[in-house]
Amino acid sequence: MSEHRVRVTQDSGSRWRRRAGEYQTLAEALAAAEPGDTVTVRPGVFRENVLLDKAVTLLPAEGPGTVRIDPPAGVPLTVTAAATVRDLVIEGFNSSAAAVRIEGPEADATLIGCRVDTHSAVGVEVADQAEARLTGCTVSNPSGLGLRLRGGATARFEECEITEAGQAGLAVLEGATARLNRCRLHHTVGAGVLLTDPGTLAELTGCELYEIKGSGVQAEARAVGRLTDCSVHRVTGNGLTLDTEAELHLVDCRLHELPENAADLRDRATLTLERSTVRAFGRGALSVWDTGTSATATSCVIEDSTGDYPAIWVSDGARLALTDCTLHNLPDALFVLDRDSRATVADTSFSEIRSSAVSVSSGASVALERCKVRSAGTGLWFRDHGSGGLLTDCEISDVATGVIVTKGADPVLRDCVVRGSTEAAVYVSAQGRGSFEDCRAVQGKGFGFHVIDGCRTALTRCRAEQNGRAGFEFAEPGPVVEACTSDDVAAASTAPARSAAAPAPAENVPGPRTAQLTSSPALVAPPQITPIPDCRPADEALAELDALIGLATVKQEVRTLIDLISVGRRRRQAGLKAPSLRRHLVFTGSPGTGKTTVARLYGEILASLGVLQRGHLVEVARVDLVGEHIGSTAIRTQAAFDQARGGVLFIDEAYTLAPEDGARDFGREAIDTLVKLMEDHRDEVVVIVAGYTAEMERFLSSNPGVSSRFSRTIAFPDYTDAELLAIARTQAVEHEYQLAEATEQALLGHFATLHRGPSFGNGRTARQVFETMIERHAMRVAQLPDPSTEDLQLLVPADLPLPRG
């Protein structure tokens, strides 16, 4: 007779039952046991499917880990009653079922110190209104889910470890409820915690989620999660992923070492963060998408981004609220874009922001109150039409530019101060507007309030103090100024004070540096600026470059430069040495070969790569740089260079600064000044000099420092006859004309007859020929009594310019 391996001990008070019995199998022992009995198991492996359908206690006789349940098939342990299991090892291999299944409304299972080490569909499943409590248990299931709760079940987990799950560590669905305290979930696949379906709730306290191949927490379909004092780190996906009206509430939590987003929200999901820290993320701290989606952060810290993306991204009509938060050491801090997107920020600080602290575009709006921005490229950037908001009592300090308003944006700033900007404190251009009330620009190195392009900016009771260039600078009439003061305007006792841009009469003695300001146009307009405030992605600008007709060698040269710069930045990010690149260029070639267009695209691409702050183009010539008397040339050159900071300074016909017989020409002073500025501000401006090939060789030899700073020359070839024809075709499509086949052949022959001397205009010539054709077409069609649509569009050979005699 074999040895008895299972003992049943009577724990009830009934005297009509025998007090104990011994059995060979668990099945026999459990069949004999009554509710309240204890089933004690001797060491060994039991190849049985155990069913606990009575309120019994099952435990090993000689301590944890000595008894293993490992049947050849089926569910190793099923609990349907108020049973307790202690210190057992449950194994099994079942790809379609759970290793431990707790099910049914009568189930109220307690597992203490158990180890579930299985290859099953699920490690532990609680289902069908069952309740369970797991304390000090470990679940490992490389073949499937670690824990699954469904069907309205409820489970509590205390100091448990879920590891090496082939799918999610914990899945809570179908209205189930899970409560975890001081648990660890790690080395799982898909998600650490997965929540889905209405009514589903998970509460985690003091838990750690790490080494997840996927998201730390994934919530969707109106599920709710609450995390307190938890850590989520070292995952391959997002720290938190929310979708389809899911809700997550985190208090005193830590999200870090995340290669993607710390939190990604979509489709009306809601995230609330309180006293939590988000750091070392690769893409974004918070990415908030879609109408109805919202994120709220209170007393949180967001810092130390490892990527090049905005830390907080709010788009497609989403909402964000930040209160008493800190954003530190980031590439960009807050981007709000798209109509109906809105961010409300109060008592929050932004520091060590490499590009923009706050960027608002595409019709979005922000409301900032009592916020501080310190040490950033740009404090706030309102980029385009419909973008705006209200800023109240905010302070911006130690930035390149404090506030930029462009392209129809219209924010309102009240009681704000910009302190210590290296460029303009406030810069408005390209039909930007903006209202500035009781604002101050102090201690900056550039202009205080710089408004160009005739923008209708409203300045009320604003004050400029101790700015390096001027308090108020208006390139053209346009700004509406009321009761503003500046310390660089001479006082006047009876007459109205002049603008900062207007010179004082020669006989006046400079007075105190405080006066009433009235606007007036500048005496001499500065060089024309073509701002590119909203840089497109590099791929889009490169696509436009590729779409240019001809210029194959130019395109290859530019792409090589971009590749060198891009790889250099990646090498620096990887801790490797990067090649020292000379970004300044020489463009040689005839007029009309696309040099200005390529320079503009080059600036855009560098800005999109983060090499330049803005990427705008400032185009100047000799007349903009060279003055009439000693000293004025350096001032003009400095002014042009300052306007180009963050972008590209394009000097056309640069060889005119170094004429062959110009020993006493002031152009050489412009060259000397430019060389010094390029050295002192080597990372702030890209300088491109352009002109005819032979003449540019003379320019490069005019100063020993010039050739060393312009180490790369890009030659722009003349357009071929076929390329000129292609330009004409493009003009026809753009203006809704058609070229007959015979017209194209005639055009090709016409271009072949043109003299290619120094005055040949290349692309400009092609456009002039097309304009002449339009004029001749109009004269011809005007004689027709009833011209058809085809007549109004078709250009024929007779419309070509007449040959020159």
Side-chain angles (χ1 to χ4, degrees), residues 599-622:
R600 173 179 60 80
L601 292 173
Y602 183 59
E604 279 196 70
I605 295 166
L606 292 184
S608 67
L609 293 175
V611 176
L612 290 176
Q613 180 190 346
R614 291 170 52 210
H616 64 290
L617 181 73
V618 176
E619 182 177 0
V620 297
R622 175 186 168 90

Side-chain angles (χ1 to χ4, degrees), residues 362-538:
S362 304
S365 66
V366 296
L368 275 68
E369 186 174 10
R370 298 181 304 279
C371 294
K372 293 185 177 181
V373 177
R374 181 181 59 81
S375 186
T378 300
L380 297 102
W381 194 340
F382 298 89
R383 293 176 176 260
D384 48 27
H385 182 74
S387 304
L390 174 63
L391 280 71
T392 306
D393 195 20
C394 295
E395 181 176 342
I396 304 166
S397 61
D398 301 327
V399 296
T401 305
V403 180
I404 299 176
V405 183
T406 60
K407 296 170 70 174
D410 195 12
V412 176
L413 284 80
R414 295 175 180 153
D415 298 302
C416 296
V417 59
V418 180
R419 189 185 312 276
S421 59
T422 58
E423 299 182 30
V426 173
Y427 178 76
V428 186
S429 70
Q431 291 75 55
R433 293 180 68 88
S435 297
F436 297 83
E437 303 171 15
D438 299 295
C439 294
R440 292 189 301 143
V442 299
Q443 300 173 346
K445 294 182 179 179
F447 295 111
F449 297 85
H450 190 188
V451 184
I452 69 171
D453 300 330
C455 294
R456 298 289 293 174
T457 302
L459 302 167
T460 305
R461 296 181 303 278
C462 293
R463 184 180 182 90
E465 305 174 50
Q466 303 177 40
N467 291 287
R469 301 197 61 193
F472 294 80
E473 173 72 5
F474 308 136
E476 299 89 11
V480 179
V481 180
E482 179 182 353
C484 295
T485 58
S486 174
D487 65 358
D488 65 348
V489 180
S493 57
T494 57
R498 59 185 175 83
S499 164
E507 65 272 18
N508 284 357
V509 177
R513 289 176 60 85
T514 301
Q516 186 73 19
L517 177 74
T518 59
S519 63
S520 65
L523 184 64
V524 179
Q528 182 180 359
I529 295 177
T530 307
I532 309 174
D534 191 359
C535 294
R536 299 171 292 172

Side-chain angles (χ1 to χ4, degrees), residues 185-220:
L185 297 90
H186 59 96
H187 292 89
T188 69
V189 177
V193 174
L194 172 64
L195 312 175
T196 186
D197 301 326
T200 293
L201 171 65
E203 296 181 340
L204 285 72
T205 303
C207 297
E208 185 178 11
L209 289 73
Y210 62 100
E211 295 296 343
I212 310 294
K213 290 184 178 179
S215 297
V217 178
Q218 181 175 334
E220 55 193 33

Side-chain angles (χ1 to χ4, degrees), residues 185-388:
L185 297 90
H186 59 96
H187 292 89
T188 69
V189 177
V193 174
L194 172 64
L195 312 175
T196 186
D197 301 326
T200 293
L201 171 65
E203 296 181 340
L204 285 72
T205 303
C207 297
E208 185 178 11
L209 289 73
Y210 62 100
E211 295 296 343
I212 310 294
K213 290 184 178 179
S215 297
V217 178
Q218 181 175 334
E220 55 193 33
R222 297 170 60 187
V224 177
R226 300 190 183 102
L227 283 71
T228 303
D229 190 26
C230 294
S231 295
V232 179
H233 60 106
R234 300 206 305 273
V235 304
T236 63
N238 300 317
L240 312 172
T241 298
L242 293 80
D243 205 345
T244 327
E245 299 183 65
E247 297 180 26
L248 286 182
H249 189 163
L250 279 70
V251 179
D252 297 318
C253 290
R254 299 157 300 281
L255 307 174
H256 58 97
E257 296 175 77
L258 310 167
E260 294 294 326
N261 298 295
D264 186 276
L265 293 73
R266 300 171 187 266
D267 196 11
R268 305 180 303 283
T270 302
L271 172 67
T272 302
L273 298 174
E274 295 181 39
R275 300 187 304 277
S276 296
T277 300
V278 181
R279 62 179 178 82
F281 46 90
R283 184 169 290 271
L286 304 175
S287 292
V288 192
W289 310 75
D290 304 331
T291 301
T293 304
S294 65
T296 301
T298 304
S299 301
C300 295
V301 175
I302 298 173
E303 61 183 358
D304 298 340
S305 169
T306 61
D308 292 322
Y309 302 89
I312 302 178
W313 181 278
V314 184
S315 66
D316 300 294
R319 292 287 191 270
L320 170 77
L322 301 177
T323 303
D324 191 27
C325 292
T326 299
L327 289 83
H328 175 73
N329 190 22
L330 307 168
D332 290 283
L334 171 60
F335 266 42
V336 188
L337 61 160
D338 298 328
R339 184 178 178 182
D340 297 328
S341 297
R342 182 173 177 82
T344 303
V345 187
D347 302 303
T348 292
S349 68
F350 304 77
S351 61
E352 301 298 328
I353 311 300
R354 296 187 285 281
S355 186
S356 299
V358 179
S359 174
V360 188
S361 63
S362 304
S365 66
V366 296
L368 275 68
E369 186 174 10
R370 298 181 304 279
C371 294
K372 293 185 177 181
V373 177
R374 181 181 59 81
S375 186
T378 300
L380 297 102
W381 194 340
F382 298 89
R383 293 176 176 260
D384 48 27
H385 182 74
S387 304

Side-chain angles (χ1 to χ4, degrees), residues 13 80 124 142 147 199 230 233 298 338 343 357 384 446 456 469 481 535 567 603 631 684 698 714 762 775-776 803:
T80 61
V124 177
L147 308 172
C230 294
H233 60 106
T298 304
D338 298 328
D384 48 27
R456 298 289 293 174
R469 301 197 61 193
V481 180
C535 294
V567 173
E684 297 179 40
R698 184 180 72 244
I714 298 179
N762 282 283
E775 294 172 2
R776 291 177 59 80

Side-chain angles (χ1 to χ4, degrees), residues 447-680:
F447 295 111
F449 297 85
H450 190 188
V451 184
I452 69 171
D453 300 330
C455 294
R456 298 289 293 174
T457 302
L459 302 167
T460 305
R461 296 181 303 278
C462 293
R463 184 180 182 90
E465 305 174 50
Q466 303 177 40
N467 291 287
R469 301 197 61 193
F472 294 80
E473 173 72 5
F474 308 136
E476 299 89 11
V480 179
V481 180
E482 179 182 353
C484 295
T485 58
S486 174
D487 65 358
D488 65 348
V489 180
S493 57
T494 57
R498 59 185 175 83
S499 164
E507 65 272 18
N508 284 357
V509 177
R513 289 176 60 85
T514 301
Q516 186 73 19
L517 177 74
T518 59
S519 63
S520 65
L523 184 64
V524 179
Q528 182 180 359
I529 295 177
T530 307
I532 309 174
D534 191 359
C535 294
R536 299 171 292 172
D539 288 343
E540 291 184 21
L542 283 169
E544 183 176 338
L545 176 67
D546 289 337
L548 296 176
I549 294 170
L551 306 178
T553 57
V554 173
K555 295 171 185 176
Q556 183 58 48
E557 287 277 2
V558 173
R559 280 195 170 273
T560 299
L561 276 170
I562 298 307
D563 290 343
L564 286 169
I565 292 170
S566 179
V567 173
R569 293 180 70 242
R570 290 180 177 273
R571 285 179 59 85
R572 282 192 293 272
Q573 292 169 0
L576 302 172
K577 289 185 178 180
S580 178
L581 297 176
R582 299 288 186 182
R583 300 173 299 176
H584 310 300
L585 303 175
V586 178
F587 285 358
T588 63
S590 303
T593 49
K595 295 187 289 295
T596 304
T597 299
V598 173
R600 173 179 60 80
L601 292 173
Y602 183 59
E604 279 196 70
I605 295 166
L606 292 184
S608 67
L609 293 175
V611 176
L612 290 176
Q613 180 190 346
R614 291 170 52 210
H616 64 290
L617 181 73
V618 176
E619 182 177 0
V620 297
R622 175 186 168 90
V623 67
D624 303 307
L625 302 179
V626 178
E628 295 78 21
H629 54 80
I630 295 174
S632 63
T633 295
I635 294 173
R636 289 193 179 192
T637 304
Q638 174 80 58
F641 191 94
D642 288 343
Q643 290 173 347
R645 288 198 184 188
V648 174
L649 179 62
F650 183 83
I651 305 176
D652 199 14
E653 298 181 339
Y655 55 85
T656 60
L657 298 175
E660 292 180 296
D661 57 346
R664 300 181 62 183
D665 187 85
F666 288 137
R668 297 191 179 276
E669 182 183 354
I671 296 174
D672 296 340
T673 303
L674 184 65
V675 168
K676 185 178 187 305
L677 290 170
M678 292 169 65
E679 180 63 29
D680 293 344

